[in-house]
Amino acid sequence: MMTHDYALQVDNLAVEFDTYGGVVQAVRDVSFKLRKGKTLAIVGESGCGKSVTVQSLMGLIPMPPGRITRGSARLGNDELIGIAPAALNAIRGKRIGMIFQDPMSALNPTMTIGRQIAETLVVHRGLSASAARAEVIELLRLTQISQPEKRLDQYPFEFSGGMLQRAMIALSIACKPEVLIADEPTTALDVTIQAQILLLLQELQSSHGLSIILITHDLGVVARMAHDVAVMYAGQVVESGLVDDIFYRSAHPYTLGLRAAMPSNDPRKRQLQIIPGSPPDLFAPPPGCGFADRCAQAMRVCRDTPPPAYGHTHQARCWLQDPLAPASPVTSLMVNNKAD
Amino acid sequence: MLIEATALRKFFSLSGGRQVHAVDEVSLGIAEHEVVGLVGESGSGKTTFGKTLIGLHDKSGGEVRYRGELLPARYGAADFRKQASEIQMIFQDPYGSLNPRMTIFEIIAEGLAIREGRSLAALRDKVVYWLERVGLHADHLSRYPHEFSGGQRQRVGIARALIVEPKLLICDEPISALDVSVQAQVVQLLGELQASMGLSMLFIAHDLSMVRYVSNRMAVMYLGSLIELGPAEDLYFRPLHPYTQLLIASNPEPDPEHERQRQDQLISGEIPSPVDLKAHCRFAGRCPKAEARCFEERPALREVLPGRLVACHLL
Amino acid sequence: MSKQSFQLSAADFAPAPPATHAERIVRPSLSYWQDAWLRLKKNRRALSSLYLVIALLLFTLLGPWFWTQDYTLQDLDMISQGPSWGSAALVVEDPGAWEGVRGDALPLPQGQELGATTQLTVEGAATTQYVRLYWNAVPGAQHYLIYRNDHAPDSGQDLGLPLGETLRPEELSFADRLQLRPQTYWYTVIASDGLTEAASGTTLAVTTERAITTTQARERGLEATVGASVQLPAHPFGTDYLGRDVLARIMEGARVSLFIGIVAPLLFIAIGIVYGGICGYFGGTLDIVLMRIADFVIALPFLLFMILFRIGFGIGPGESGIFPMLLALVLLSWPSSARLVRGQILQIRGEAYVQAARMLGARSLYLIFRHLVPNVMGPILVTLTFAIPMAIFTEAFLSFIGMGVSPPTPSWGAMSNEGIRTMLSSPHELLFPAFFISLTVLAFNLLGDGLRDALDSRLRSRE
């Protein structure tokens, strides 16, 4: 595919943080592509680097102690890594919208919802105050907030969690961004509200042609929302591909493990399979595969050599994909179609 | 029943004489060796019920009996001391539930140190035993809570509660703040410990999908009321109350094909605030099937099928 | 990447031995206080202010061991001297009475006007103890006027300070003992006939040498031989209006300032911990009543109570009252720390770990000392660090307006008060105590800022 088919393309990104006694390699060589008008889900446990990855693209990680040591990220044809903070600021909010797990902390508690959204419209789109107000009402209606004319003049604390997340979405799409980054948007919400918000995001995607990066730890949300999936573990993308590849042809033991650990509505699934242990601390990542210590199929090579990425559109970083590896529960990718 | 609440009530007073009906006449018992899953969205009163049951909140009405003995409506330190070896609790927030100034050893040993007044050093072997039983390691003893991940902390909380070998364990949303994969670890660990120790458990959670793997029975709460109660698998796969049906249907299934074919069943609106509730079905306002009578009369919890209790006029 | 796999053999793909310990924690272990210390160390501003505070404490506590000058010793020869590193002085005889030089009064020849004085001479050595002048009689002079100037007079009008005049025509000498410093003076003697002064006089430049008398030398334990050269004590911060060493007084004054500054906050925060702790832990009606009392105390005007306490203790104006000052500070400042502690305790009391301890059967005392107090120590330490400069400044202010420590006891505020009178002629008397007040207040404030950042638990996380 050509470059212009991608809304956002990230290559070989690496982010480090200085801490007491050493360096945490939070993101180690992450690449992914976000197709235009599609949803890319980045899945992983806390501490796997999924939030740091997108925050570093947006210039939202504190530097120091953080720093981007390598990589590039192109929004359309524009590079995001290494540009001046002011330029990044202009892109953030205007061309990339963001919503967070906790909308309360992203909104100013002393300003009405309407004013906060209107301010963005005035700054980024140069609207007049009255035009902005009309636009805010339209945005609130779009995000299915009832009585937008009344809600407009309310403060964040007067909104419930679900309503606040809707307001946050209204704010993030106010400038008609190309890309929407949703960082665990429904983790703090109840399942019934989660269902409402996810549906809203799907509707906005089809009406506005939004490209969405959805960060989550919940494979259920991924299954509902994603077109493409990148599974992250220990600061790396361990498997990536189309959503059906990931769910029905899992090529990495970690993805298999995640799926087995998910509860299901399927009455036949009577037992949860767990992945034992905890992810490695990226303060001192293991020399080989980060998952080797928790992997039932671990081989000698996994312990001391990091696996390469096998596959092309469906990729996996796992030695089990090597032609020399024995048969295993993971789906074998076409080994002659290796990534370069 | 090991512990049984009858018409338990907990109201909180607000200024202006208004009252929050956090728990409104909930009757629920837990038999010996039984695990009851208590499920509801935030604001449903499930956590308040759990805390009122064991004395962390004063009771506003109703009674709780433990092995037939009436528990006090208001607890003092002596009452907690008396029940410490019988009832313990693990908490939702893995960050707030461990004292940041204490080492893992001091935290886990706390129950024994308080009960037996023994020096901490004498307890080391037992603490190490429990630490390993929850999947941690003896070299974690001298570390502080902030050095652990959420799941590891939650396991420390489990070891702290179980080292005094209680009969009843209240798990207050122990998995809500964790990643799904870690939730499975904690659920499995609690299941193992429950089976090996013969524990009775009240497992509070905000969705049913994970809870069904550990529960014998499940109870669903909405706005301070118990609306459905039944055997776990039966209730999960054949929910009777309209709310339970929607709650289960809302949960995304980790199966893209299934999700693509999903018929959207959304509950409109959000759980209302439980202030000064009127006497009608708590769910009537959001219920897609509500009839006139649902707005007039509060349905009682009654047995509609053998072992299945539902509070709904329509059944 | 494909090359890598060629270098691998089938043996590499044999199953690995099971992992030993998948829950390993590799980072160094840090307790709350260790972690806070590391954060503080990274904050350069806070760290330097910590060093400054330590230096100030050492200066106060150990200073007098090294700087042994008596802070009460007055040296009227050394009044309001600027900073100096000591100087040599000649030992001279006690001035005693100088009989002076007498001559005959000469009549004024007819038709002549009074002439200028001639032969103006210094008798003996010119020292800072005395300058003895004599001159030849001027015909017709009834008495003589003596002037002293710091620079060479450039006209007859610019003769400088009138030192005095002789009383009789026979007196042809004058001894100057007025605040002499080691420098060059220009003396002018002008004859007068009782009505008019002579049109011109004679000017003599005299360079004085620093000297002390044998008596003074004996008093200071120096060699008391006339003509010996002795070394006078250094005054790096100069001397005050009574010739007392400012450095010694700053050190001594720091004791009062820091005593009030540290003891008062310690006391009122201790009261605040107990009071706020009781309110926060027990709550209910007791809490409401106690907090209304605290609100009442906050509303009391500090200065009024300060005055009342002084009167109550029978301390009149101009007398030192450290104790009433301490009492007023403690009695009127505790409510703010009580409020802080109460808020913290209320917050922590609801934490899950406190509930867990209650479930485990913990008694109140155990809860308070094991869970509540250790977790409020951070904010309390920060409050203490901010309360210290406040108390130091209050002490200085009170002493400055004469409500606190009064002379002769030195305190930085009292010294500033004394120094402000001579602010224009010898600014060092004000500048040094004021500088130390500012430095101390700044150092404690910066340290408090750094501590607050370092102890902020919100910043603590795993990632």
Side-chain angles (χ1 to χ4, degrees):
Chain A
M1 270 184 270
M2 309 260 290
T3 313
H4 60 255
D5 291 328
Y6 297 117
L8 182 70
Q9 191 171 352
V10 172
D11 290 303
N12 306 104
L13 187 74
V15 183
E16 293 179 352
F17 286 91
D18 287 327
T19 62
Y20 169 65
V23 175
V24 174
Q25 299 170 29
V27 175
R28 308 184 288 159
D29 192 27
V30 162
S31 307
F32 58 81
K33 297 180 175 88
L34 171 63
R35 287 191 283 155
K36 275 189 180 163
K38 302 287 181 186
T39 300
L40 167 73
I42 303 183
V43 198
E45 296 169 271
S46 355
C48 73
K50 56 191 193 298
S51 289
V52 175
T53 301
V54 290
Q55 282 169 4
S56 64
L57 302 183
M58 306 283 287
L60 291 178
I61 57 169
M63 301 195 214
R67 62 178 169 271
I68 299 173
T69 51
R70 198 152 42 85
S72 86
R74 283 186 308 284
L75 177 69
N77 292 320
D78 302 318
E79 178 63 48
L80 295 180
I81 306 290
I83 65 171
L88 199 55
N89 240 341
I91 289 174
R92 190 169 59 217
K94 190 166 178 162
R95 296 181 59 195
I96 304 181
M98 253 195 120
I99 55 178
F100 304 92
Q101 178 176 345
D102 179 14
M104 199 66 188
S105 64
L107 291 166
N108 181 346
T110 63
M111 262 166 91
T112 63
I113 295 286
R115 258 192 73 196
Q116 299 192 42
I117 302 174
E119 197 170 65
T120 311
L121 291 169
V122 171
V123 170
H124 284 304
R125 279 171 59 188
L127 265 57
S128 71
S130 56
R133 191 179 164 90
E135 181 74 27
V136 171
I137 292 173
E138 194 46 47
L139 281 165
L140 293 183
R141 187 167 289 134
L142 197 65
T143 49
Q144 293 154 19
I145 292 177
S146 56
Q147 298 175 284
E149 295 86 354
K150 190 179 137 225
R151 285 293 192 163
L152 184 73
D153 294 317
Q154 290 185 338
Y155 289 90
F157 72 89
E158 297 174 87
F159 277 55
S160 67
M163 282 296 147
L164 218 48
Q165 197 57 284
R166 287 172 192 274
M168 194 66 218
I169 293 171
L171 176 66
S172 64
I173 61 166
C175 295
K176 307 202 186 317
E178 299 147 45
V179 174
L180 179 69
I181 295 178
D183 189 353
E184 305 256 7
T186 58
T187 304
L189 302 174
D190 285 312
V191 278
T192 56
I193 312 298
Q194 164 172 289
Q196 297 169 3
I197 297 289
L198 293 181
L199 185 66
L200 172 65
L201 284 176
Q202 281 177 326
E203 287 169 5
L204 287 173
Q205 175 160 58
S206 48
S207 63
H208 284 62
L210 270 178
S211 312
I212 299 178
I213 294 182
L214 179 72
I215 297 170
T216 180
H217 65 91
D218 187 340
L219 284 181
V221 174
V222 176
R224 183 172 296 182
M225 299 292 291
H227 301 99
D228 301 305
V229 181
V231 182
M232 280 190 75
Y233 185 81
Q236 291 179 319
V237 175
V238 293
E239 185 174 357
S240 61
L242 297 169
V243 66
D244 284 6
D245 287 339
I246 301 296
F247 278 88
Y248 303 128
R249 292 175 288 280
S250 307
H252 196 286
Y254 177 64
T255 318
L256 275 182
L258 275 185
R259 277 178 51 212
M262 277 295 293
S264 164
N265 288 354
D266 187 345
R268 288 163 301 177
K269 188 170 175 182
R270 306 196 69 89
Q271 278 283 308
L272 293 175
Q273 300 292 321
I274 63 157
I275 312 172
S278 297
D281 190 345
L282 296 176
F283 183 82
C289 170
F291 189 60
D293 278 356
R294 300 172 73 187
C295 181
Q297 281 83 40
M299 301 172 292
R300 288 180 190 281
V301 65
C302 305
R303 290 278 159 80
D304 35 56
T305 317
Y310 292 91
H312 190 62
T313 49
H314 180 192
Q315 288 194 345
R317 263 179 208 271
C318 180
W319 281 117
L320 289 171
Q321 298 297 342
D322 198 272
L324 288 169
S328 70
V330 301
T331 305
S332 180
L333 303 167
M334 291 206 294
V335 279
N336 53 355
N337 193 10
K338 252 185 224 172
D340 37 25
Chain B
M1 289 286 158
L2 179 68
I3 192 165
E4 183 150 32
T6 313
L8 190 65
R9 256 189 178 181
K10 177 63 193 173
F11 288 7
F12 295 100
S13 296
L14 295 179
S15 57
R18 296 186 304 159
Q19 292 208 301
V20 177
H21 298 216
V23 176
D24 200 352
E25 310 220 334
V26 172
S27 302
L28 183 63
I30 302 164
E32 290 207 38
H33 313 309
E34 188 193 30
V35 181
V36 174
L38 179 60
V39 178
E41 293 180 276
S42 38
S44 64
K46 57 190 189 300
T47 291
T48 312
F49 173 77
K51 289 189 172 175
T52 313
L53 188 72
I54 57 170
L56 283 173
H57 289 310
D58 299 339
K59 301 170 183 65
S60 307
E63 57 172 47
V64 179
R65 289 180 181 274
Y66 185 78
R67 294 191 198 278
E69 196 182 321
L70 191 66
L71 296 180
R74 234 189 120 99
Y75 272 57
D79 299 308
F80 281 118
R81 209 149 46 242
K82 218 169 78 186
Q83 82 173 24
S85 303
E86 295 288 327
I87 307 175
Q88 280 304 324
M89 180 160 178
I90 53 180
F91 294 84
Q92 171 178 8
D93 178 9
Y95 295 84
S97 64
L98 308 178
N99 186 339
R101 305 286 192 283
M102 285 163 75
T103 62
I104 297 307
F105 174 52
E106 291 166 334
I107 289 169
I108 296 179
E110 186 168 35
L112 291 179
I114 289 172
R115 186 172 72 187
E116 296 166 19
R118 285 158 74 187
S119 73
L120 287 174
L123 301 171
R124 192 176 184 280
D125 289 347
K126 197 149 188 200
V127 172
V128 169
Y129 167 79
W130 273 100
L131 199 59
E132 285 172 355
R133 193 143 176 203
V134 297
L136 295 171
H137 204 266
D139 48 322
H140 293 139
L141 276 181
S142 59
R143 290 189 173 263
Y144 289 87
H146 67 94
E147 298 168 42
F148 292 83
S149 67
Q152 289 172 323
R153 284 186 230 205
Q154 206 53 284
R155 285 186 263 163
V156 172
I158 293 171
R160 169 179 61 190
L162 292 185
I163 198 167
V164 296
E165 295 177 16
K167 302 288 170 295
L168 172 65
L169 185 66
I170 309 292
C171 307
D172 178 20
E173 302 207 48
I175 55 171
S176 301
L178 304 175
D179 287 338
V180 180
S181 55
V182 184
Q183 288 181 5
Q185 284 185 344
V186 171
V187 165
Q188 201 192 47
L189 175 66
L190 282 170
E192 276 170 25
L193 291 167
Q194 187 270 333
S196 64
M197 295 174 75
L199 279 173
S200 301
M201 249 165 50
L202 179 68
F203 196 106
I204 301 169
H206 64 220
D207 86 279
L208 298 93
S209 58
M210 207 47 115
V211 180
R212 79 169 170 104
Y213 290 97
V214 278
S215 305
N216 304 111
R217 284 192 297 153
M218 285 205 289
V220 182
M221 276 184 82
Y222 186 82
L223 215 56
S225 292
L226 192 60
I227 55 155
E228 185 161 4
L229 177 65
E233 294 281 301
D234 203 16
L235 186 147
Y236 190 78
F237 292 109
R238 275 179 306 283
L240 296 174
H241 195 285
Y243 174 68
T244 316
Q245 290 168 352
L246 288 166
L247 191 62
I248 292 169
S250 300
N251 208 33
E253 176 72 13
D255 182 344
E257 197 55 46
H258 178 275
E259 286 294 326
R260 279 193 284 269
Q261 286 160 7
R262 163 182 292 273
Q263 301 295 312
D264 277 309
Q265 286 178 296
L266 290 184
I267 318 184
S268 58
E270 297 182 14
I271 192 164
S273 111
V275 177
D276 287 342
L277 292 173
K278 293 187 186 65
H280 57 60
C281 174
R282 299 291 183 241
F283 187 56
R286 291 172 78 191
C287 184
K289 300 171 186 165
E291 297 174 356
R293 126 181 103 125
C294 300
F295 291 94
E296 285 153 15
E297 198 185 333
R298 187 171 166 196
L301 196 68
R302 60 199 168 85
E303 192 161 13
V304 293
L305 288 170
R308 299 291 303 273
L309 282 76
V310 183
C312 182
H313 291 306
L314 306 174
L315 295 166
Chain C
M1 282 186 191
S2 51
K3 276 184 210 143
Q4 275 185 339
S5 76
F6 292 141
Q7 294 159 357
L8 297 165
S9 67
D12 288 316
F13 290 89
T20 44
H21 185 9
E23 302 272 358
R24 214 175 359 241
I25 298 182
V26 287
R27 295 190 202 192
S29 179
L30 288 175
S31 74
Y32 176 80
W33 295 109
Q34 285 171 327
D35 184 75
W37 170 237
L38 284 173
R39 280 166 194 284
L40 191 72
K41 270 210 308 204
K42 259 192 234 160
N43 184 341
R44 218 175 273 168
R45 204 173 53 180
L47 196 65
S48 38
S49 61
L50 176 67
Y51 290 144
L52 201 58
V53 164
I54 292 171
L56 275 165
L57 288 175
L58 289 179
F59 174 75
T60 315
L61 298 176
L62 300 182
W65 291 84
F66 296 100
W67 192 251
T68 49
Q69 286 198 34
D70 185 355
Y71 69 94
T72 57
L73 183 74
Q74 299 183 7
D75 186 347
L76 298 182
D77 295 317
M78 301 289 282
I79 283 168
S80 298
Q81 300 277 311
S84 76
W85 277 111
S87 49
L90 191 69
V91 179
V92 293
E93 267 182 71
D94 289 347
W98 183 46
E99 69 279 12
V101 176
R102 283 166 194 279
D104 298 322
L106 302 174
L108 181 70
Q110 273 299 314
Q112 279 196 5
E113 297 199 345
L114 276 178
T117 326
T118 54
Q119 292 274 316
L120 183 59
T121 319
V122 177
E123 199 260 11
T127 68
T128 53
Q129 287 299 321
Y130 44 80
V131 175
R132 290 167 175 171
L133 299 165
Y134 64 91
W135 52 88
N136 282 352
V138 174
Q142 292 302 308
H143 53 122
Y144 301 90
L145 303 163
I146 298 97
Y147 295 86
R148 188 180 82 189
N149 205 347
D150 288 345
H151 52 268
D154 40 46
S155 76
Q157 315 313 146
D158 179 31
L159 300 176
L161 183 71
L163 286 177
E165 54 186 85
T166 56
L167 299 174
R168 286 184 297 276
E170 305 87 57
E171 267 183 52
L172 296 177
S173 63
F174 184 84
D176 175 18
R177 297 183 58 193
L178 182 68
Q179 287 191 14
L180 286 160
R181 294 185 181 179
Q183 66 175 86
T184 303
Y185 292 107
W186 282 264
Y187 288 96
T188 309
V189 177
I190 289 175
S192 163
D193 62 2
L195 295 171
T196 52
E197 291 176 18
S200 62
T202 307
T203 300
L204 177 70
V206 177
T207 301
T208 52
E209 191 186 347
R210 192 181 289 286
I212 58 171
T213 64
T214 47
T215 314
Q216 287 172 337
R218 262 193 298 278
E219 276 170 2
R220 295 177 195 190
L222 297 170
E223 190 188 349
T225 327
V226 173
S229 179
V230 291
Q231 191 68 26
L232 287 181
H235 298 295
F237 291 179
T239 57
D240 71 356
Y241 73 109
L242 288 173
R244 296 174 296 195
D245 183 51
V246 173
L247 176 59
R249 290 181 69 74
I250 292 261
M251 284 176 183
E252 187 61 28
R255 295 183 162 204
V256 174
S257 294
L258 291 177
F259 173 76
I260 295 275
I262 290 170
V263 172
L266 277 179
L267 285 177
F268 72 66
I269 282 173
I271 295 176
I273 292 174
V274 174
Y275 196 95
I278 289 171
C279 290
Y281 185 75
F282 292 103
T285 321
L286 181 74
D287 176 34
I288 294 170
V289 172
L290 288 182
M291 284 326 282
R292 288 301 81 73
I293 295 173
D295 290 344
F296 171 73
V297 173
I298 279 186
L300 298 176
F302 177 75
L303 212 55
L304 185 69
F305 271 77
M306 183 69 223
I307 295 167
L308 287 178
F309 282 135
R310 280 176 74 89
I311 294 168
F313 281 91
I315 293 166
E319 289 178 57
S320 267
I322 296 183
F323 186 68
M325 186 154 57
L326 194 64
L327 194 70
L329 266 171
V330 171
L331 285 187
L332 295 176
S333 305
W334 61 264
S336 57
S337 54
R339 271 185 184 172
L340 174 101
V341 172
R342 172 179 173 271
Q344 292 282 328
I345 295 276
L346 273 180
Q347 195 188 339
I348 294 167
R349 201 178 60 156
E351 292 276 358
Y353 59 83
V354 176
Q355 293 191 343
R358 284 172 71 198
M359 288 297 297
L360 291 166
R363 288 160 212 268
S364 294
L365 277 181
Y366 176 90
L367 281 182
I368 291 171
F369 287 105
R370 191 80 184 132
H371 289 288
L372 300 180
V373 170
N375 281 290
V376 296
M377 279 324 283
I380 286 174
L381 189 67
V382 173
T383 318
L384 181 68
T385 326
F386 281 120
I388 288 172
M390 190 222 49
I392 289 176
F393 194 78
T394 308
E395 185 279 329
F397 168 70
L398 288 173
S399 297
F400 182 77
I401 62 168
M403 298 284 306
V405 176
S406 297
T409 317
S411 95
W412 292 348
M415 289 173 71
S416 301
N417 183 21
E418 290 160 6
I420 204 157
R421 293 177 218 157
T422 52
M423 187 173 76
L424 292 176
S425 57
S426 44
H428 68 272
E429 287 177 53
L430 173 63
L431 285 183
F432 283 110
F435 172 75
F436 272 85
I437 294 170
S438 315
L439 192 69
T440 313
V441 170
L442 181 73
F444 274 105
N445 270 319
L446 288 181
L447 181 63
D449 254 353
L451 271 178
R452 191 174 47 195
D453 292 347
L455 292 172
D456 190 345
S457 55
R458 276 171 303 175
L459 298 171
R460 291 159 57 83
S461 70
R462 200 162 178 250
E463 217 166 7

